[in-house]
Amino acid sequence: MKIRLSTYPPHADIEQKIQSIKGVSSVEGDEKLKTIQFEIESKYEDDAAEIVQSAVKIVDENGGKVVTEKESFPVLNMTCAACASSTQNILWFVPGVLNASVNYGNGKGNIEYIPEITSPGEMKSALQEIGYDLLIEEREASIENLENIQEENYKKLLRQTIWAAALAIPLVVIGMFFMHMPFANIAMLVLATPILFIFGRRFFVGAWKQAKHCSANMDTLVALSTGIAYLFSVFNMIYPQFWEQRGLEAHVYFEAAGVIIAFILLGKLLEARAKGSTSNAIKKLMGLQPSSVTVFRDGTSVEIPIADVVIGDIVQVKPGDKIAVDGEVTEGTSFVDESIISGEPSHVEKRAGEKVCAGTSNQKGCFRFVATKVGKDTLLAHIIKTVDDAQGSKAPVQRLVDKIAGIFVPVVMAIAVLSFIIWLIFGGSNGFVYGLMAMVTVLVIACPCALGLATPTAIMVGIGKGAEEGILIKDAESLESAKQIDVVVLDKTGTITEGRPQVSAMYWSSDAQPPHKDILYSIEHSSEHPLAEAITAELQPSARLLNGVSVEQVSGKGIEGVYDGNRYFIGNQQFMASKNIAISGELNEKIVRELNAAHTIAIFADAKNAYGVVGITDALKPTSKEAIERLQKMDIEVAVYTGDNEKVASALAKELGVANFKGGVLPEDKANLVKALQQQGKKVAMVGDGINDSGALAQADVSIAMGKGSDIAMDVAKMTIISSDLLKIPQAIHLSRETVKTIRQNLFWAFIYNVIGIPIAAGVLYPVNGFLLNPMIAGAAMALSSVSVVTNSLRLRGKKI
């Protein structure tokens, strides 16, 4: 088997190390094509997946990078957590798959693979061999199509449950009250047979497919327990003399087998319905887009499907319409309800030049806008994808649960057999019958589903709840980690403040020249910094834009520009001091005045002297102080680190009631300050909105970006506050605490149910009080255990955060 990796850069050291992997016969690197090709000996082809994973690890550890793809696919036909573990293991053993994580809660698999070695089609084939399936076509895997499949499966399950219950009721009546009437056994056989082999066929088919691959899941437990009870009853009905010759009565257990199937089908039905409710957030978000939209093409209005809208189309919005795509208003005014995006119940006025987002609702006015983002690029599509991916991710605690679920079924089968043997040895004359029933009851009552659903259902509901509140959470780990936060570090501009700086004053020295204003305007015009926007807005009416100005931004310090061979600088006092620039007494006086007013200053200078000072103010957000007070009431320390001068930082901290603050902080310093807090044993959340915050966001335990900030900050951050309202931070932490509490409750009940239920089913109470658990009651308990876990998770939806 020949394997080729597209990697950069291939070099001899990597080739030698790959050559040392057991089973690799030859390695060849091609620097021009940027590939490494190696051959796996035929006798080691069964280990190909592990060999490829080892080769990729070598490439990564030696400065190379293998080209991979990451995709999420719906996985079908899973019936329990053991199925998720089984499908995950199968995918891991497909050569070329580097990472696979299957989530039973939302029925999806996140897979990283090397496209040159394997394909989604090969993964699909591998799963189909054992009775599962993978939806790999974009049309197949669409959320709409997946919902249709789930709806069809639900209807089929509903029909099976109704018929099974309809037959189980007379079956129980005969088995419990009329067992000695003529032909009672034949009547029960006639009723039980279709329950097991028509309406419960799925369990036996699933168990057989698992058995063919030496695997086991919940289907195995159900098929074994009900199959044993059914066959034992058939034997006793046909050949009762076997027991009667030994002085025992030949009991039949058709009612137990039938009722177990009926109860488990009912449990699966309730579970499917409850699981469907956990993804309500996604469904609600998807329902926000209209199916069609009115656009203007060639001067005439035409109604087209939303999928046909392209960038540049002029879209007409009437009162009550939902906005179809992202865009910018070109004419008209209205108020738009953006609550589904921001989590805020207020209506926002929209005029020409204002941005509108897909999924928001127009109120009474009419307007037109030009489409700027369509399809998968809209903010709404980004939110849906982020929520969908996050709901499919696994919390750290899930790793332990997955390991337990992976061995759960074999362990239960071993306990069931052990129970039978112990009863056979110590049970006396009824030992065989009691042992058989104990074995059946153990197989029935054991429930890997409750364990498998405990974490993912809570995560799905928690992340969905966050999205509804305008809190976009990227993965389960960050949702779980937020509970542990000790310190929240806040940036100033755009986080605590509005992020819309305004010039409070502008001073020029007596020796400033008329061109200096034009030079300052032209240099700031080339900068994307929020302060630059404020200065250019102030100067625009009186200054002109010069040609031939080159600009260099010095991160966190200021701007350098060159015009007509002369170098100019704009920045704070520290930046001027680093360039040995002289500041006159009259300008120093203005600087002190602005600093005492807690304003930010920007000084304009050439290579020798300062010529101007700009005072800039940025208003606090209305909710910033309340948000910080809430965090402090939650016993969370708040720190403010800003690039502004110390006086501004001090005045701001005093106003907000924050003791831990620092001014004059460069971008690289923010990351170091976060690291210093972590070294004190604290869990740190960093909240920022700018490019200069990205290093600190990456360093923090939990990173939170403001939705109106830079794309880089949002890419780095694990959470995004869409509305940029700081009040969402304590809400996010409270949501994390509630979600983790729900996970713990779920896991406790799932574990305690199995820890207590299995020994009772095995007959541990019989020597004490003669109690043996009826297999029918065990079936009902098993069915309700997973439903109770999902229902407990759904309680999160009603929690106020």
Side-chain angles (χ1 to χ4, degrees), residues 137-142 145-146:
E137 298 296 330
E138 189 171 341
R139 181 192 59 79
E140 279 187 333
S142 68
N145 187 57
L146 195 58

Side-chain angles (χ1 to χ4, degrees), residues 768-790:
V768 179
N769 56 15
F771 177 77
L772 271 178
L773 186 63
N774 189 309
M776 292 188 291
I777 295 172
M782 186 267 202
L784 291 173
S785 64
S786 54
V787 176
S788 63
V789 162
V790 180

Side-chain angles (χ1 to χ4, degrees), residues 588-716:
N588 262 323
E589 186 181 321
K590 307 299 184 187
I591 290 170
V592 171
R593 181 188 300 173
E594 291 298 312
L595 291 178
N596 286 339
H599 294 166
T600 303
I601 60 159
I603 304 167
F604 171 74
D606 63 14
K608 293 182 180 179
N609 298 302
Y611 295 105
V613 173
V614 183
I616 301 167
T617 183
D618 189 6
L620 282 179
K621 289 177 183 174
T623 56
S624 291
K625 190 169 184 179
E626 184 187 348
I628 288 169
E629 287 172 353
R630 280 198 195 179
L631 287 169
Q632 290 168 337
K633 284 178 182 175
M634 294 168 74
D635 294 324
I636 295 170
E637 181 187 348
V638 178
V640 176
Y641 298 150
T642 175
D644 254 322
N645 63 74
E646 195 70 25
K647 281 197 173 183
V648 171
S650 177
L652 181 70
K654 187 176 180 181
E655 184 177 353
L656 295 171
V658 174
N660 185 354
F661 67 90
K662 194 169 181 64
V665 179
L666 297 176
E668 57 268 26
D669 294 335
K670 281 186 186 177
N672 291 332
L673 287 165
V674 169
K675 193 173 182 179
L677 289 169
Q678 290 170 326
Q679 287 170 346
Q680 296 171 26
K682 296 176 179 178
K683 292 288 182 182
V684 182
M686 172 68 200
V687 186
D689 76 322
I691 295 171
N692 60 338
D693 298 319
S694 56
L697 287 168
Q699 176 64 44
D701 298 292
V702 177
S703 46
I704 305 171
M706 291 292 158
K708 293 179 182 175
S710 74
D711 290 342
I712 292 177
M714 284 186 276
D715 285 344
V716 171

Side-chain angles (χ1 to χ4, degrees), residues 281-538:
I282 290 275
K283 293 173 188 172
K284 190 184 290 185
L285 289 168
M286 288 191 63
L288 295 175
Q289 283 186 312
S291 57
S292 61
V293 62
T294 302
V295 301
F296 287 87
R297 289 180 177 172
D298 300 323
T300 59
S301 66
V302 57
E303 189 169 319
I304 61 171
I306 189 172
D308 294 343
V309 180
V310 296
I311 293 172
D313 273 342
I314 300 297
V315 182
Q316 173 73 44
V317 182
K318 298 174 184 176
D321 282 357
K322 289 190 185 297
I323 294 168
V325 296
D326 290 0
E328 189 174 299
V329 178
T330 54
E331 59 180 279
T333 60
S334 184
F335 283 85
V336 174
D337 179 2
E338 295 186 339
S339 58
I340 195 68
I341 298 293
S342 65
E344 298 299 323
S346 58
H347 297 161
V348 181
E349 186 177 9
K350 298 294 178 182
R351 297 177 177 275
E354 298 270 355
K355 291 181 179 179
V356 290
C357 295
T360 55
S361 300
N362 184 32
Q363 299 304 295
K364 294 181 179 178
C366 291
F367 64 91
R368 295 178 185 179
F369 70 91
V370 59
T372 56
K373 289 182 180 178
V374 300
K376 293 181 179 179
D377 297 324
T378 65
L379 176 61
L380 179 62
H382 171 67
I383 291 171
I384 290 171
K385 187 178 186 309
T386 302
V387 172
D388 193 35
D389 289 346
Q391 288 185 334
S393 64
K394 291 187 178 183
V397 69
Q398 184 67 20
R399 293 172 198 143
L400 173 62
V401 177
D402 284 348
K403 287 179 181 177
I404 294 169
I407 61 168
F408 185 87
V409 173
V411 168
V412 168
M413 290 168 68
I415 293 172
V417 172
L418 183 63
S419 303
F420 175 72
I421 293 169
I422 292 172
W423 273 103
L424 202 59
I425 296 171
F426 300 105
S429 59
N430 289 320
F432 183 86
V433 176
Y434 285 172
L436 200 67
M437 285 301 98
M439 181 168 70
V440 167
T441 310
V442 168
L443 290 171
V444 169
I445 202 167
C447 186
C449 298
L451 279 174
L453 290 167
T455 302
T457 52
I459 291 293
M460 287 175 72
V461 176
I463 285 170
K465 175 81 172 174
E468 289 172 7
E469 296 290 337
I471 304 164
L472 204 53
I473 302 164
K474 280 191 179 177
D475 57 39
E477 186 171 356
S478 54
L479 178 61
E480 187 179 339
S481 301
K483 172 193 175 292
Q484 303 169 329
I485 290 171
D486 301 308
V487 184
V488 172
V489 176
L490 302 174
D491 175 47
K492 172 182 163 279
T493 306
T495 302
I496 298 174
T497 64
E498 293 283 3
R500 294 194 293 268
Q502 293 180 325
V503 172
S504 57
M506 188 175 289
Y507 311 98
W508 294 96
S509 67
S510 54
D511 53 350
Q513 300 299 312
H516 284 157
K517 185 183 286 189
D518 297 334
I519 294 168
L520 172 61
Y521 175 69
S522 300
I523 292 173
E524 292 286 20
H525 191 270
S526 300
S527 172
E528 295 180 354
H529 197 281
L531 298 186
E533 290 181 24
I535 294 170
T536 53
E538 181 72 17

